Amino acid sequence: MAAATLHRYLGKGRKLVDGIEKVTGRARYAGDVHLPGLLHGKLALSMYAHARIANIDTSAARAVPGVVAVLTAADLPTRGRQPASRQTTTLADGVVRYRGEPVALVLATSLAAAEDGLAVLQIDYEPLPGPVTPEAALDPAAPVIWPQGAPKGDADLTAAHAAVARGDDQADHEASNIHEHKQFSRGDALAALAAAEVVIEGTYRTSIVHQGYLEPHAVVADIDPVRKQLTLYTSTQGQFGVRDEVARLLGLRPSQVTVIPMTVGGGFGAKYGILEPLAAAAALAVGRPVRITLDRSEDFLTTTPSPASTITLKLGATRTGTLTALVAEIVNDNGVYPFTLGGIMSTLLGGYYRCPNVQIDVIEVLTHKPQAGAYRAPGAPQITFAIESAMDELARKLDLDPLELRLRNAATTGDPMGNNDPWPSMGLTKVLEAAANHPLWRERQPGSGIGLAIGGWPCGMSPAAAVCRVDTDGMVRVHVGSVDISGVNSSFVLVAAEILGVPPEQVEIVAGDTRSGPFAGPSGGSQITYSVAGAVAAAAREARRQLLEMAADMLEARVDDLDIREGMVQIRGVPGRTIPIGEVAKRAEEQAGGPGPIVGDGKAAPAENAPGFVAHIVQVEVDRETGRVKPLRYVAIQDVGFPINPLMVEGQIHGGAAQGVGWGLYEALRYDERGELLTASLMDYTLPRAADLPTFEAVLVENPAPNGPFGARGVGEPPITAGAAAIANAIRDATGVRIYELPMRDEVVWRALQQV
Amino acid sequence: MAAATLHRYLGKGRKLVDGIEKVTGRARYAGDVHLPGLLHGKLALSMYAHARIANIDTSAARAVPGVVAVLTAADLPTRGRQPASRQTTTLADGVVRYRGEPVALVLATSLAAAEDGLAVLQIDYEPLPGPVTPEAALDPAAPVIWPQGAPKGDADLTAAHAAVARGDDQADHEASNIHEHKQFSRGDALAALAAAEVVIEGTYRTSIVHQGYLEPHAVVADIDPVRKQLTLYTSTQGQFGVRDEVARLLGLRPSQVTVIPMTVGGGFGAKYGILEPLAAAAALAVGRPVRITLDRSEDFLTTTPSPASTITLKLGATRTGTLTALVAEIVNDNGVYPFTLGGIMSTLLGGYYRCPNVQIDVIEVLTHKPQAGAYRAPGAPQITFAIESAMDELARKLDLDPLELRLRNAATTGDPMGNNDPWPSMGLTKVLEAAANHPLWRERQPGSGIGLAIGGWPCGMSPAAAVCRVDTDGMVRVHVGSVDISGVNSSFVLVAAEILGVPPEQVEIVAGDTRSGPFAGPSGGSQITYSVAGAVAAAAREARRQLLEMAADMLEARVDDLDIREGMVQIRGVPGRTIPIGEVAKRAEEQAGGPGPIVGDGKAAPAENAPGFVAHIVQVEVDRETGRVKPLRYVAIQDVGFPINPLMVEGQIHGGAAQGVGWGLYEALRYDERGELLTASLMDYTLPRAADLPTFEAVLVENPAPNGPFGARGVGEPPITAGAAAIANAIRDATGVRIYELPMRDEVVWRALQQV
């Protein structure tokens, strides 16, 4: 925390700028938008995982008072166009391929009327066979889901989360339920494994996990029927991407679509655009504004959860604990459309530790389930569960301290990642050293139920711009194009405050839409603070320069002699002569022949990314009677580079760690053999509640990122990565039993205990 | 039009960018804004010009279903605070001082319920005496309207319209119905007048004229009751001024108030904020959003029309037609609150012509009528009617061509204005020369009903900023803080298109609110094109610089060898190598370690203003039986500097000339002796209809302004100034009768004809 003392505001915790709005219900979400003539949309969702749509009889639905239209695929301008990213939904055309796929849209003047219309909408299906699990899909006898080849999107969502190169395509490109097979390798892993002094082997299974945001998907599409101008009010992590996809699917120019990002009630990777093209197409079809909001069950049924992964992992090492080989096969259950996480999963799996011989095969499988999508650090909890469980077992086999084993092999800056690119500046060793010094680890007793795991994430790095304006009342307004899903605005205010020398209350962040906003990348990949804060800083510096130039004239002083403190320009060493920045701004807005109003732009385009690494230590208590695992203490150590607003950083760490506990102990979307979702409500889908969670202690390690603003690194994704593995290792420590399957619910643990 | 050939887009007429929105009803006005929980407000307006409010019984009104509250002055947080500008209205507290003054506000869940509530609201008045005309107010025996001194605002609206110095205060500062008496002088005018070889003398009267916008005042105030954050959606000419005034009156910080300027259905000086503080106070009082829209009669009763003026003018000249003396007294009827136009009226009256001896007294009088306010070129139609009628008479007396007399005496750059400051670059002589060459003037026959008058306006010059962003689809978006009341955005697109080398369809102007917008002055004083277009040009130049820098890298060429044509960057002389600017922008938004997204800011703060002068020639036909005057042809010659978008410039000239005809022949708000408005509907208040207007021919003179963007001058106000005088001179030519009173309705002309 040494760096904080250099700063007046940076590095000191400060509450959320929009916390009061949110807790008092004043924040405006997409579902709160009301427009004249608004129609409420209710989706008819497929009842089958695979079926032909034999007939849709809309007459009864259309006869319901208030129902204005019942739309099917044939009514939409999107018909015949493929989404660029298969995250986006329109309406099924002839065939449904997962339970929950939207088939028709009832539009009515009230939600109640739309629901009444939906209740009498008659859709006849002819069920068809098809695999709903990867095992079934990989059976050579299984029907091929996409005989003509799966519809592939242009967009690689992984790229939004982590700028990493992708491996070599191993697929044979014949029609198959494998949409991609890639191999990542270096050295000769099979030979090295065969020659290894010690080998650890295991198959790890993870479940389909939902992002579990508080606010289900919601969008309002407004249409100017004359000029075909669309305005979308939506809950999104990235307005620019949504705009481009909606325009493409509707055959409009991007400039005909304006996306206004509303307050987001949680995204976690799932809000890059799902319903927007459908709402937009419906508005275009009927010429009126359309609102679609999903209820919780609809959201579970039709959105984009994480893929489930099966990871077979073999590690080879010397007797002294040096890794020599890593061989892995990853099978991802991606649901009905291609979704590719192999690149990032391999990059991490083959990159956490130095190992000269690596071979990772990733087999991406299609099934009759909803399409998989991004969920905070996509792919990382899965591979981290595998590698960190295996490392724990390796340490036990070698009778080494598991932390010591990790330190010996930990990758560091310049070492190859799984894709063989070198790691940029990273701090795995530093977080391990901090873990070694933490009392929970240092003073642990064998068998006390304490486990350790590391994890990491490369972090994205989109270029970004910001505009900083000083107002006549002294308010500093910073205009950005990013969406605040995680408290980033509450960090930006400190950046501008620090540079301009004004109290943070005098700074306001103004979020732009696709028409007004300066560009920023989407709020994913832990990148917003990393990339946008640099632009905010640059814009604030330019505004400061303009302020001082104008103030020098007003105070008859040299620019170099001036400073700004508490919002007042002052001459260094001359205490009496001060002038509020609002007055300087006023002069600038009034002076004929002067430099003009105080407004400056700033950009940032970091040249490399800034991986964030964590070491999580968790202590659990296991009830041997029931198998119930109770997490007691949780220490989340993270290399954050520099915590611009430590309160926000700690919030990210708490939230990520809580979700990691969810991955580890509770959460799973379960489907039956026909592809019916068995966990379509919060009663069945076990999101952890506060009482299910341990106390989290966040420990911030400051290992500055060379390209980060003030040394900051991305912090959003790393904290979700290690939890499941740390808990598995803690259970192993407490019980002697290794669990290979997530979530580690009572029954799973109990069964494993029975086998000892 | 020579300059236009230098340009690709500038100087070439192009339609309104928002014309289709407006004609198809898609444009969103303030009255269209709907918010959850919205309350509709209906104002109880005083029935008396002066009365004590004895009692307000709200019980019956409150009992009406749907009525939520009935507010009086005591319920508002504004109580006890004086508006900075008396343009703004709250609620009368104890005493009403004009017919139409708001007394109470009924708030209901529907407009119908509010109207029902208003119908049964019981307000008891005790009528009080008081002067309603300047003649009565100036009677020493008259009750003094403000015995404790009139409430004076800080704001001088004149300054917003024309940056001119003000004269010496002649008032004795005892309580009186004269709120200001100033004298402007140079030389010894009384002596020069006494010694003059020829003297012309007359007293000219003008009426109270309403701005006659299509859209009556409308505002929606939204309130966050927790943080006391106000958002106003309003029809305004200047969002920043409205914000500051609302904040001051409500005791909030300006940053707690966001003003979102909506599409404006005409302002003409009356929309700098009237109802906004009241709507905001009401929203704050009840904690819900409030909408107040005026109907036409309410708007006539309670808003801020032009003052009526009585101008006694004496001109002295030599026999050869050189002006030697100008002595004038101006009495303005300002209604119930101070409103000061003396500075600008004297500046113009004493400035159109070179005259060594000038003495102008301005007596600003209070009466029990609604407060006067700004109306397009405030004060100019009045003094122009006087001086241009007098010059016409002087020419006749000297047997000189009236245009020749004007040319001999016309002021030019550097000559003193009425306030003795020198004229900046101006083109009075040039428009007179153009008039001399126009066939309507050159080929006229004496007695054919042709009249000439000149007029002018100094033009404002607020500093302004703009931000220019290039999007990945090649769209150029320019963010400005100005309100488009007159087509300025349709000129800005050409400025950005010209500089960036893109078709105008690829340019969009994005108007900011007080939080998001770069600063611009209010849309008044003919200043927006003059000041903001310069900022747009600077921002576009910066974006161009960034585009070329990035494109040089992509095309492997030198920046100096690049050009942009039709939205494509190209290497000069290498036809094949081109790249669309959208692709350059995309690269900038993606390139790690690059310069960052294409966004540039620009500022303009012209060092001097750029007066616009006109010469109007009008031909009329006078029916001697009825006195009816029919304008037949109308030639409006104007020095526009450079017409960035000639279609917009001509639109301004047509509109201003039409309003000038209204001043001359039709429009007047009439009050009876008790201060009751007799013309409170469009049936009584005679706005000219299309059939009442002549064909307008606009002639653009290009006399570049040294500080204007591409030489442009302000064009909005000049065309309203000369019409009434030109028509009076045409009537004189047609009939031999001089009319000294506006409007010159049938009866006025008929009576004058009877006296010949």
Side-chain angles (χ1 to χ4, degrees):
Chain A
M1 294 291 216
T5 58
L6 300 171
H7 302 299
R8 192 163 180 82
Y9 304 114
L10 290 177
K12 293 169 186 170
R14 205 176 167 80
K15 286 185 185 169
L16 274 176
V17 293
D18 55 354
I20 288 183
E21 260 172 65
K22 286 175 171 166
V23 297
T24 57
R26 284 290 305 176
R28 292 265 162 84
Y29 295 85
D32 295 327
V33 172
H34 186 276
L35 296 171
L38 183 73
L39 297 179
H40 300 256
K42 197 76 189 164
L43 287 168
L45 301 181
S46 166
M47 301 303 290
Y48 294 90
H50 193 199
R52 197 174 74 77
I53 302 170
N55 186 46
I56 303 179
D57 181 352
T58 62
S59 53
R62 283 186 288 113
V64 169
V67 170
V68 171
V70 180
L71 302 179
T72 65
D75 304 312
L76 298 185
T78 47
R79 193 180 203 185
R81 289 199 180 86
Q82 290 297 335
S85 148
R86 285 309 313 212
Q87 304 302 300
T88 50
T89 291
T90 54
L91 292 176
D93 197 359
V95 177
V96 290
R97 293 186 182 84
Y98 64 95
R99 162 70 173 113
E101 183 168 6
V103 175
L105 178 64
V106 181
L107 296 173
T109 53
S110 71
L111 185 60
E115 285 168 345
D116 289 350
L118 180 62
V120 297
L121 176 62
Q122 190 61 45
I123 305 177
D124 299 329
Y125 298 97
E126 289 170 6
L128 298 168
V132 299
T133 66
E135 294 72 23
L138 292 173
D139 183 335
V144 174
I145 297 177
W146 296 100
Q148 314 300 325
K152 282 211 178 189
D154 305 326
D156 181 354
L157 252 190
T158 315
H161 279 257
V164 295
R166 297 164 75 185
D168 300 318
D169 193 353
Q170 304 290 308
D172 55 8
H173 296 286
E174 281 181 20
S176 131
N177 291 325
I178 297 174
H179 69 80
E180 186 169 296
H181 178 181
K182 283 202 173 166
Q183 190 176 79
F184 297 78
S185 66
R186 63 174 172 265
D188 186 340
L190 297 179
L193 189 72
E197 294 169 352
V198 185
V199 170
I200 288 292
E201 188 172 338
T203 296
Y204 305 86
R205 293 172 209 280
T206 70
S207 293
I208 298 178
V209 181
H210 190 271
Q211 295 85 353
Y213 31 76
L214 281 174
E215 178 206 20
H217 282 265
V219 56
V220 172
D222 189 21
I223 172 72
D224 172 343
V226 179
R227 298 197 302 168
K228 284 201 183 178
Q229 287 275 356
L230 274 163
T231 304
L232 295 167
Y233 303 83
T234 189
S235 179
T236 187
Q237 298 176 235
Q239 66 269 42
F240 294 98
V242 169
R243 176 196 65 176
D244 292 349
E245 171 71 348
V246 168
R248 215 187 54 75
L249 261 174
L250 270 64
L252 301 173
R253 296 186 306 280
S255 55
Q256 289 176 282
V257 181
T258 301
V259 178
I260 299 176
M262 304 297 289
T263 308
V264 178
F268 307 112
K271 291 190 176 163
Y272 288 95
I274 293 184
L275 298 174
E276 287 86 345
L278 176 53
L284 211 52
V286 298
R288 288 174 66 169
V290 168
R291 182 199 288 167
I292 304 178
T293 56
L294 298 185
D295 64 26
R296 183 64 59 180
S297 288
E298 290 166 340
D299 202 293
F300 276 130
L301 280 165
T302 197
T303 63
T304 57
S306 79
S309 301
T310 301
I311 302 170
T312 301
L313 177 63
K314 297 169 190 167
L315 295 182
T318 64
R319 276 198 196 87
T320 54
T322 300
L323 279 181
T324 56
L326 186 156
V327 176
E329 186 191 74
I330 302 173
V331 177
N332 288 327
D333 177 2
N334 289 324
V336 74
Y337 296 118
F339 180 74
T340 308
L341 286 182
I344 182 63
M345 292 176 85
S346 305
T347 295
L348 297 175
L349 179 56
Y352 281 178
Y353 298 105
R354 272 194 315 274
C355 181
N357 303 293
V358 171
Q359 179 179 310
I360 303 170
D361 283 84
V362 189
I363 298 159
E364 309 272 14
V365 182
L366 299 166
T367 57
H368 282 296
K369 290 212 284 288
Q371 62 267 48
Y375 176 18
R376 197 172 190 165
Q382 293 97 315
I383 67 91
T384 303
F385 174 57
I387 181 81
E388 287 299 284
S389 295
M391 287 297 280
D392 201 68
E393 284 303 307
L394 181 61
R396 289 180 185 276
K397 196 154 186 175
L398 295 169
D399 203 20
L400 267 175
D401 179 294
L403 196 152
E404 177 57 28
L405 174 68
R406 286 177 171 87
L407 259 180
R408 277 188 205 172
N409 292 283
T412 187
T413 309
D415 283 337
M417 301 187 288
N419 65 356
N420 297 331
D421 287 345
W423 278 110
S425 158
M426 59 91 101
L428 174 53
T429 300
K430 289 199 169 66
V431 296
L432 281 168
E433 286 164 352
N437 288 323
H438 194 281
L440 184 61
W441 185 257
R442 206 177 56 225
E443 297 162 10
R444 80 193 188 285
Q445 299 298 322
S448 58
I450 291 176
L452 167 85
I454 63 101
W457 190 257
C459 156
M461 53 177 198
S462 289
V467 176
C468 181
R469 180 164 75 93
V470 182
D471 210 331
T472 51
D473 64 344
M475 280 298 288
V476 174
R477 294 208 172 75
V478 184
H479 205 195
V480 297
S482 48
V483 175
D484 184 3
I485 61 168
S486 59
V488 289
N489 288 355
S490 306
S491 296
F492 297 161
V493 297
L494 301 186
V495 171
E498 186 75 36
I499 287 170
L500 282 162
V502 304
E505 310 87 71
Q506 248 174 278
V507 180
E508 186 183 9
I509 307 301
V510 180
D513 57 42
T514 55
R515 288 174 72 233
S516 71
F519 179 79
S523 292
S526 308
Q527 73 176 359
I528 293 302
T529 299
Y530 187 66
S531 58
V532 180
V536 171
R541 276 187 208 104
E542 171 58 17
R544 179 188 172 90
R545 189 193 66 70
Q546 294 175 20
L547 278 172
L548 293 185
E549 187 178 278
M550 168 97 348
D553 190 46
M554 296 169 79
L555 287 166
E556 296 175 338
R558 292 173 53 237
V559 166
D560 291 346
D561 293 336
L562 297 182
D563 194 13
I564 312 178
R565 293 247 166 168
E566 297 290 315
M568 310 285 283
V569 183
Q570 50 188 236
I571 307 175
R572 285 199 190 83
V574 186
R577 307 260 309 274
T578 66
I579 184 165
I581 61 168
E583 279 186 30
V584 181
K586 195 168 163 57
R587 169 74 72 97
E589 291 184 4
E590 290 175 353
Q591 189 186 35
I598 308 290
V599 51
D601 65 72
K603 287 86 163 288
E608 66 172 26
N609 62 359
F613 269 82
V614 305
H616 284 194
I617 311 166
V618 61
Q619 182 169 29
V620 301
E621 185 180 79
V622 181
D623 184 335
R624 287 179 168 269
E625 298 289 312
T626 63
R628 170 151 301 182
V629 177
K630 185 174 166 59
L632 302 172
R633 290 183 64 187
Y634 199 119
V635 177
I637 300 162
Q638 183 164 337
D639 174 16
V640 302
F642 170 71
I644 289 176
N645 185 340
L647 215 55
M648 298 304 112
V649 171
E650 288 172 17
Q652 285 282 62
I653 292 174
H654 284 195
Q659 290 182 313
V661 174
W663 273 84
L665 294 178
Y666 305 112
E667 300 180 52
L669 287 170
R670 302 285 195 203
Y671 299 82
D672 71 10
E673 68 287 356
R674 293 171 298 117
E676 174 66 89
L677 179 61
L678 301 174
T679 55
S681 81
L682 287 173
M683 293 290 287
D684 313 301
Y685 181 85
T686 328
L687 271 180
R689 293 159 300 178
D692 300 322
L693 294 171
T695 301
F696 295 105
E697 179 191 343
V699 177
L700 311 187
V701 172
E702 298 190 17
N703 170 43
N707 286 266
F710 311 98
R713 295 172 181 272
V715 299
E717 274 153 319
I720 199 176
T721 56
I727 292 170
N729 294 343
I731 294 170
R732 174 69 174 79
D733 187 57
T735 64
V737 166
R738 170 63 53 192
I739 312 288
Y740 289 92
E741 175 186 348
L742 297 185
M744 298 174 283
R745 287 186 183 163
D746 306 9
E747 185 185 345
V748 170
V749 176
W750 183 85
R751 281 187 196 280
L753 286 168
Q754 305 321 301
Q755 288 165 14
V756 179
Chain B
M1 291 293 215
T5 57
L6 301 171
H7 302 298
R8 192 160 179 85
Y9 304 114
L10 291 177
K12 293 169 186 171
R14 205 174 167 83
K15 284 186 187 171
L16 274 177
V17 291
D18 55 354
I20 287 182
E21 262 172 63
K22 286 176 171 167
V23 298
T24 56
R26 284 290 305 177
R28 290 267 162 83
Y29 295 84
D32 294 327
V33 172
H34 187 277
L35 297 170
L38 183 74
L39 297 179
H40 299 256
K42 197 76 190 168
L43 287 168
L45 301 180
S46 166
M47 302 302 292
Y48 295 89
H50 193 200
R52 197 173 75 78
I53 302 170
N55 188 46
I56 304 179
D57 182 353
T58 63
S59 53
R62 281 185 291 115
V64 170
V67 170
V68 170
V70 181
L71 302 179
T72 64
D75 303 313
L76 297 183
T78 46
R79 194 183 203 183
R81 290 200 179 85
Q82 291 295 336
S85 147
R86 285 310 312 212
Q87 305 301 300
T88 50
T89 291
T90 53
L91 291 175
D93 196 359
V95 177
V96 290
R97 293 185 181 85
Y98 64 94
R99 163 72 174 111
E101 183 168 7
V103 175
L105 178 64
V106 182
L107 295 173
T109 52
S110 71
L111 185 60
E115 285 168 344
D116 290 350
L118 180 63
V120 296
L121 175 62
Q122 189 60 45
I123 304 176
D124 299 329
Y125 298 96
E126 289 170 5
L128 297 168
V132 299
T133 65
E135 294 71 22
L138 292 173
D139 184 333
V144 174
I145 296 177
W146 296 99
Q148 313 301 324
K152 283 211 177 188
D154 306 327
D156 182 354
L157 252 192
T158 314
H161 279 258
V164 295
R166 298 164 74 186
D168 300 318
D169 191 354
Q170 305 289 310
D172 55 8
H173 294 287
E174 280 180 22
S176 127
N177 290 327
I178 296 174
H179 70 78
E180 185 170 297
H181 177 180
K182 282 201 172 165
Q183 190 174 81
F184 297 78
S185 65
R186 64 173 172 266
D188 186 340
L190 297 180
L193 190 71
E197 293 170 353
V198 184
V199 170
I200 288 291
E201 189 173 338
T203 295
Y204 304 86
R205 294 172 208 281
T206 71
S207 293
I208 298 178
V209 181
H210 191 270
Q211 293 85 354
Y213 30 76
L214 280 175
E215 178 206 21
H217 281 265
V219 56
V220 172
D222 189 21
I223 171 72
D224 173 344
V226 179
R227 299 198 303 167
K228 284 200 181 177
Q229 288 274 358
L230 275 163
T231 304
L232 295 167
Y233 304 83
T234 189
S235 178
T236 187
Q237 297 177 237
Q239 66 268 45
F240 294 99
V242 168
R243 176 195 66 176
D244 292 349
E245 171 72 348
V246 168
R248 216 187 54 74
L249 261 175
L250 269 63
L252 301 173
R253 297 187 305 279
S255 54
Q256 289 176 281
V257 181
T258 301
V259 178
I260 300 176
M262 305 296 289
T263 308
V264 178
F268 307 113
K271 291 189 177 164
Y272 288 96
I274 293 183
L275 298 175
E276 287 87 345
L278 176 54
L284 211 52
V286 298
R288 287 175 66 171
V290 168
R291 183 199 288 167
I292 305 179
T293 56
L294 298 184
D295 65 25
R296 183 62 62 181
S297 287
E298 291 167 340
D299 202 293
F300 275 131
L301 280 164
T302 196
T303 63
T304 57
S306 81
S309 301
T310 301
I311 302 169
T312 302
L313 177 64
K314 296 170 190 168
L315 295 181
T318 64
R319 274 197 198 90
T320 54
T322 300
L323 277 182
T324 56
L326 184 158
V327 176
E329 186 191 73
I330 302 173
V331 177
N332 286 330
D333 177 2
N334 289 325
V336 73
Y337 295 118
F339 182 74
T340 308
L341 286 182
I344 183 63
M345 292 176 85
S346 305
T347 294
L348 297 175
L349 179 56
Y352 281 178
Y353 297 106
R354 271 195 316 274
C355 180
N357 303 292
V358 170
Q359 180 179 308
I360 304 169
D361 282 85
V362 189
I363 298 159
E364 308 273 11
V365 182
L366 299 166
T367 57
H368 282 296
K369 289 209 284 288
Q371 63 267 46
Y375 176 18
R376 197 173 191 165
Q382 294 97 315
I383 67 92
T384 303
F385 175 55
I387 181 81
E388 287 298 285
S389 294
M391 287 296 281
D392 201 68
E393 284 302 306
L394 181 61
R396 290 181 184 276
K397 195 154 185 174
L398 294 169
D399 203 20
L400 267 175
D401 179 293
L403 196 153
E404 177 56 29
L405 173 68
R406 287 176 170 87
L407 259 181
R408 278 188 203 173
N409 292 282
T412 186
T413 308
D415 282 338
M417 301 188 288
N419 65 357
N420 296 331
D421 286 345
W423 279 110
S425 158
M426 59 92 101
L428 175 52
T429 300
K430 289 200 168 64
V431 295
L432 281 168
E433 285 164 353
N437 287 325
H438 194 281
L440 184 61
W441 184 258
R442 204 177 57 226
E443 296 162 11
R444 81 191 188 286
Q445 299 298 324
S448 58
I450 290 175
L452 168 84
I454 63 100
W457 190 257
C459 157
M461 51 176 200
S462 289
V467 176
C468 180
R469 180 164 75 90
V470 182
D471 211 331
T472 50
D473 64 344
M475 279 298 288
V476 174
R477 294 208 172 74
V478 184
H479 205 196
V480 297
S482 49
V483 175
D484 184 2
I485 60 169
S486 59
V488 288
N489 287 356
S490 306
S491 296
F492 297 161
V493 297
L494 300 187
V495 171
E498 186 73 37
I499 287 171
L500 281 162
V502 303
E505 310 88 71
Q506 247 173 279
V507 180
E508 186 183 10
I509 306 301
V510 180
D513 57 42
T514 55
R515 289 174 72 234
S516 71
F519 179 80
S523 293
S526 307
Q527 72 175 359
I528 293 302
T529 300
Y530 186 66
S531 59
V532 180
V536 171
R541 275 186 209 105
E542 170 59 15
R544 179 188 172 91
R545 190 193 64 71
Q546 293 175 23
L547 278 173
L548 293 186
E549 188 179 276
M550 170 100 331
D553 190 46
M554 296 168 79
L555 288 166
E556 296 175 338
R558 292 173 54 239
V559 166
D560 292 346
D561 293 336
L562 298 181
D563 194 14
I564 312 178
R565 293 246 166 170
E566 296 290 316
M568 310 286 282
V569 184
Q570 50 188 237
I571 307 175
R572 286 198 190 84
V574 186
R577 306 261 310 274
T578 66
I579 183 165
I581 61 168
E583 278 185 33
V584 181
K586 195 167 164 58
R587 168 74 72 95
E589 291 184 4
E590 289 175 353
Q591 189 185 37
I598 307 290
V599 51
D601 66 72
K603 285 86 163 289
E608 66 170 28
N609 62 358
F613 270 81
V614 303
H616 285 195
I617 311 165
V618 60
Q619 181 168 29
V620 301
E621 184 179 82
V622 181
D623 183 335
R624 288 180 167 269
E625 296 289 312
T626 63
R628 170 151 303 182
V629 177
K630 187 176 167 57
L632 302 174
R633 291 184 63 186
Y634 198 119
V635 177
I637 299 162
Q638 183 164 337
D639 174 15
V640 301
F642 170 71
I644 290 176
N645 186 339
L647 214 55
M648 299 302 113
V649 170
E650 287 172 18
Q652 285 283 62
I653 291 174
H654 283 196
Q659 290 182 316
V661 174
W663 274 84
L665 295 179
Y666 304 113
E667 299 181 54
L669 286 171
R670 302 285 196 203
Y671 298 83
D672 72 10
E673 68 287 355
R674 293 170 299 115
E676 175 65 270
L677 179 61
L678 302 173
T679 54
S681 82
L682 287 173
M683 293 290 289
D684 311 301
Y685 180 85
T686 329
L687 272 180
R689 294 159 298 179
D692 300 322
L693 294 171
T695 301
F696 294 105
E697 178 191 345
V699 177
L700 311 187
V701 173
E702 298 191 17
N703 170 42
N707 286 265
F710 311 98
R713 295 172 180 271
V715 299
E717 274 151 320
I720 200 177
T721 56
I727 292 170
N729 294 343
I731 294 171
R732 174 70 174 81
D733 186 57
T735 64
V737 165
R738 170 63 54 193
I739 311 287
Y740 290 92
E741 177 187 346
L742 298 184
M744 298 174 284
R745 288 187 183 161
D746 304 9
E747 184 185 344
V748 170
V749 177
W750 182 84
R751 282 189 194 279
L753 286 169
Q754 305 319 303
Q755 287 164 14
V756 180

